Amino acid sequence: MSALLDTFADGAIVARRNLIKIKRVPDLLVFTTLSPIMFVLLFGYIFGGSIEIPGGNYREFLIAGIFAQTVIFGATITGAGLADDIQKGIIDRFRSLPMSQSAVLLGRTASDVVNNVIVIVVMSVTGLAIGWRIRTSVPEAIAGFLLLLLFAYAVSWIMAYLGLLVPSPEVLNNASFLVTFPLTFVANTFARPETFPGPVRTFANWNPVSAVVQAARELFGNTSPANPPPDVWSLQNPVAYTLIWVVAILAVFVPLAIRQYQRAASR
Amino acid sequence: MADMIRARGLVKRYGEVTALDGLDLSVPEGTILGLLGPNGAGKTTAVRIFTTLLEPDDGVAEVAGVDVRRDPRGVRRRIGLSGQYAAVDEYLTGYENLDMVGRLHRLGRRGAPKRARELLERFALTDAGDRPVKTYSGGMRRRLDLAAALVAEPTVLFLDEPTTGLDPRGRTGMWDVIRELVDGGATLLLTTQYLEEADRLADDIVVIDHGRIIAQGTADQLKAQVGGERVELVLEQAEDVELARSVLAGSAVGAVVVDEHSRRLTAPVSGGAPVLMAALARLQDEGVKVLDFGMRRPTLDDVFLTLTGQTTRTTTEADQAREQEPAR
């Protein structure tokens, strides 16, 4: 029990260190929030006109998709931050201290949730400005935001593992892009999978990102009876499907990342 | 006196490269061991094993009587590590860096800030303490990194090339600090490429190359091992270097070392001043202008050259690549 408390205390110390960086280098936050704003405006006004959503309004359809994409991209900060810390010898410093072995990763992933919260707030305001509305209750909307953050938290453990594996932060940024880009586009984020060719549609339907987006749309009340989700279990039960993925990702990548941390060597 | 740092038969391989090839070390309490060697010799690998950052493939390493493999956390509680590059967070202030390390050492909400301020003062960083480390000079970062290693008042300290990249003033400042630490009773393992540094600081010196010990002893013992005296000449003109080399080779008892850039020739001799005078007379006959000359006792540089066949400061790119590759 006290070991667990120590782990959280150490994690909080590391998280605080990461948050100080957000405060000291505000440019970083400015750029992480500018790109989602740009995405909202680009898709809302440029592509929005050519993507038909039965019975609904594209911008309203779009917002949950952009939220999901942005928080998943935000999770890569976890990996880039760790790769950077290895390169600068800071992980060596932590590893030579009598602290909890998982605290650096707990602290890192926790501070990146804070980062994602700030980004979601900025995007929500942008969304409201262009006509997006939450049409359900406050508890449901909060559940929607929590589900997005939870999924991103799980993804950030994948990124933590990758960040400790790659030789430099640049490699992580390029490599993670190859995964996050298809994952967030071959889904129901920006277009309806019903319009995709066969195998791509199957992938999109079972893609956990689609489930997160579908769940968020339902919890925000951005769905329309004219555009029902495809008749597959993953999208008929998007909250459950998302939670299964969150648990599975954490079960695999938390131990993997911690093991990799213990091996991580400076370069 | 008990050995505070001990290694028996340490082996570490990285694929084809053998970084440590059966290293034995022992450092008695309250002394400084200088671990000397060219890039890629295995110095950093040894430090990483002692500080629990790396597991050896074979052999035993103990710090303050604690086995690094069996109780890494016990080792971490007793050591301080200051690495080759300053491992401080540049976005935090100097104070925040030390405070963070103190809290992770469980010095507590009151203890950690107090210790941080003390160390800032001791390392002449009080004025800069509340500025982000980004604004620090290289020497200031190194001092802060060393301060971070001292937060928990460790009994054993590992300093991996603490002055590499510092200017001469920064280096002498660092030396003073390190001396004070050991006067305070700490045991210290110091790796360096600078023989002068080992000569100034270390009680004992271990010279390693290719992961193996090639010599050990005090600075004086090592110099005696190489033996003899050195004749040193500096020429006025570079084109005379070859001629002077052949003149010196006639009376040298070993290889003549030539530094083309500074037109300096060094030759080990036995026989003292008459040998030097004879050489000077012959050079005068040949019309070679000598800018400076003298006799001296061997330096650690000579020791190194004799033992490894290379000078300490010639760092080839291959060596650097070797040092960095295994470091992964």
Side-chain angles (χ1 to χ4, degrees):
Chain A
M1 187 61 203
S2 95
L4 198 65
L5 282 180
D6 283 350
T7 299
F8 283 116
D10 288 350
I13 295 166
V14 175
R16 187 166 150 242
R17 168 224 164 201
N18 297 331
L19 293 174
I20 289 177
K21 182 176 173 180
I22 299 184
K23 198 173 77 184
R24 296 269 153 80
V25 198
D27 317 22
L28 237 110
L29 196 62
V30 171
F31 284 108
T32 35
T33 49
L34 273 183
S35 61
I37 293 176
M38 191 186 73
F39 263 97
V40 170
L41 298 179
L42 271 181
F43 275 89
Y45 290 97
I46 308 294
F47 297 126
S50 43
I51 301 174
E52 282 293 326
I53 296 301
N57 140 1
Y58 182 68
R59 277 180 224 153
E60 194 148 318
F61 172 86
L62 170 74
I63 291 296
I66 298 262
F67 281 4
Q69 187 191 43
T70 307
V71 294
I72 290 167
F73 278 15
T76 58
I77 297 175
T78 304
L82 286 169
D84 194 48
D85 282 349
I86 289 188
Q87 204 170 45
K88 292 190 172 141
I90 291 172
I91 297 291
D92 279 357
R93 163 79 69 218
F94 284 136
R95 286 187 57 224
S96 71
L97 294 175
M99 61 188 283
S100 154
Q101 290 290 294
S102 46
V104 170
L105 299 177
L106 279 176
R108 181 80 241 177
T109 49
S111 61
D112 293 336
V113 171
V114 176
N115 204 62
N116 263 338
V117 168
I118 299 172
V119 170
I120 278 197
V121 169
V122 173
M123 281 194 304
S124 300
V125 172
T126 316
L128 290 171
I130 65 160
W132 169 67
R133 292 292 177 269
I134 293 172
R135 300 183 194 283
T136 48
S137 61
V138 174
E140 278 171 294
I142 290 174
F145 284 119
L146 284 180
L147 199 68
L148 284 164
L149 290 169
L150 191 64
F151 186 74
Y153 182 76
V155 174
S156 76
W157 278 92
I158 303 179
M159 296 301 170
Y161 173 64
L162 294 177
L164 293 166
L165 208 62
V166 297
S168 79
E170 291 77 21
V171 175
L172 181 96
N173 284 330
N174 293 331
S176 66
F177 192 70
L178 286 177
V179 180
T180 50
F181 217 75
L183 218 53
T184 53
F185 271 91
V186 187
N188 59 0
T189 33
F190 304 109
R192 298 171 60 230
E194 286 85 339
T195 65
F196 300 171
V200 181
R201 181 172 44 204
T202 309
F203 177 86
N205 283 342
W206 290 93
N207 182 346
V209 177
S210 294
V212 180
V213 173
Q214 181 62 32
R217 277 185 193 136
E218 287 176 7
L219 290 164
F220 295 147
N222 298 146
T223 49
S224 146
N227 181 26
D231 193 17
V232 288
W233 190 86
S234 54
L235 295 176
Q236 291 295 328
N237 306 278
V239 176
Y241 189 66
T242 302
L243 292 175
I244 290 171
W245 269 94
V246 167
V247 171
I249 292 173
L250 290 176
V252 172
F253 283 93
V254 170
L256 266 184
I258 291 173
R259 201 184 57 159
Q260 191 59 32
Y261 171 80
Q262 284 161 348
R263 288 180 186 174
S266 77
R267 16 229 177 202
Chain B
M1 258 181 306
D3 285 339
M4 292 300 275
I5 303 173
R6 231 166 66 94
R8 286 290 166 266
L10 277 191
V11 174
K12 183 71 194 177
R13 291 184 204 88
Y14 299 96
E16 294 289 290
V17 185
T18 302
L20 288 181
D21 194 4
L23 185 75
D24 297 325
L25 280 183
S26 54
V27 189
E29 188 172 358
T31 66
I32 305 187
L33 177 78
L35 192 58
L36 210 68
N39 275 330
K43 305 185 299 283
T44 298
T45 304
V47 169
R48 297 183 69 81
I49 289 174
F50 282 123
T51 53
T52 76
L53 298 181
L54 201 62
E55 287 216 349
D57 292 328
D58 201 3
V60 179
E62 286 175 3
V63 176
V66 181
D67 188 299
V68 295
R69 253 197 287 213
R70 250 177 265 149
D71 183 12
R73 198 156 177 163
V75 171
R76 292 181 196 125
R77 263 197 287 272
R78 292 166 170 87
I79 59 167
L81 165 68
S82 182
Q84 251 181 66
Y85 29 79
V88 285
D89 190 322
E90 54 184 1
Y91 298 104
L92 302 192
T93 64
Y95 168 77
E96 285 165 344
N97 266 290
L98 297 179
D99 179 53
M100 175 180 75
V101 173
R103 282 167 195 259
L104 291 172
H105 265 296
R106 316 216 185 291
L107 298 188
R109 219 172 272 266
R110 233 172 280 162
K114 186 166 160 275
R115 183 73 180 138
R117 291 291 174 203
E118 263 169 38
L119 284 166
L120 287 172
E121 196 180 324
R122 174 160 171 203
F123 286 88
L125 291 167
T126 307
D127 292 340
D130 293 316
R131 281 199 336 245
V133 173
K134 235 178 163 27
T135 64
Y136 286 21
S137 70
M140 289 162 76
R141 282 178 195 222
R142 282 297 172 91
R143 294 209 302 276
L144 184 66
D145 191 59
L146 184 55
L150 297 178
V151 165
E153 304 186 65
T155 43
V156 184
L157 262 173
F158 294 88
L159 305 185
D160 193 10
E161 303 200 3
T163 64
T164 297
L166 291 189
D167 59 20
R169 224 184 92 208
R171 186 169 299 156
T172 34
M174 201 65 167
W175 286 346
D176 292 341
V177 170
I178 293 171
R179 269 256 78 99
E180 270 177 46
L181 287 177
V182 177
D183 291 343
T187 306
L188 204 155
L189 189 148
L190 166 97
T191 78
T192 182
Q193 291 185 60
Y194 302 107
L195 294 151
E196 195 193 349
E197 190 162 288
D199 206 356
R200 289 273 296 262
L201 295 172
D203 299 297
D204 274 301
I205 295 172
V206 166
V207 186
I208 63 172
D209 199 19
H210 303 297
R212 227 182 289 208
I213 294 181
I214 55 172
Q216 57 186 322
T218 62
D220 285 337
Q221 282 166 351
L222 288 176
K223 288 175 197 169
Q225 195 179 331
V226 175
E229 313 153 287
R230 297 289 185 280
V231 164
E232 211 167 70
L233 296 176
V234 181
L235 306 180
E236 203 172 289
Q237 281 158 337
E239 55 263 38
D240 292 333
V241 166
E242 275 314 305
L243 183 62
R245 184 210 290 267
S246 63
V247 168
L248 280 181
S251 42
V253 295
V256 180
V257 181
V258 179
D259 180 358
E260 299 273 356
H261 183 70
S262 59
R263 304 179 307 282
R264 180 189 303 272
L265 294 92
T266 311
V269 297
S270 61
V275 179
L276 174 62
M277 274 146 67
L280 286 173
R282 277 206 55 197
L283 288 172
Q284 195 174 19
D285 292 345
E286 302 280 355
V288 174
K289 293 205 176 81
V290 176
L291 206 63
D292 194 8
F293 64 89
M295 303 276 314
R296 60 173 178 75
R297 297 193 50 218
T299 63
L300 277 175
D301 270 302
D302 300 318
V303 174
F304 209 81
L305 188 65
T306 313
L307 293 170
T308 66
Q310 56 175 311
T311 58
T312 46
R313 264 151 240 183
T314 47
T315 308
T316 63
E317 281 182 16
D319 276 339
Q320 271 178 353
R322 211 153 49 119
E323 178 86 309
Q324 274 154 18
E325 268 313 301
R328 290 242 20 219

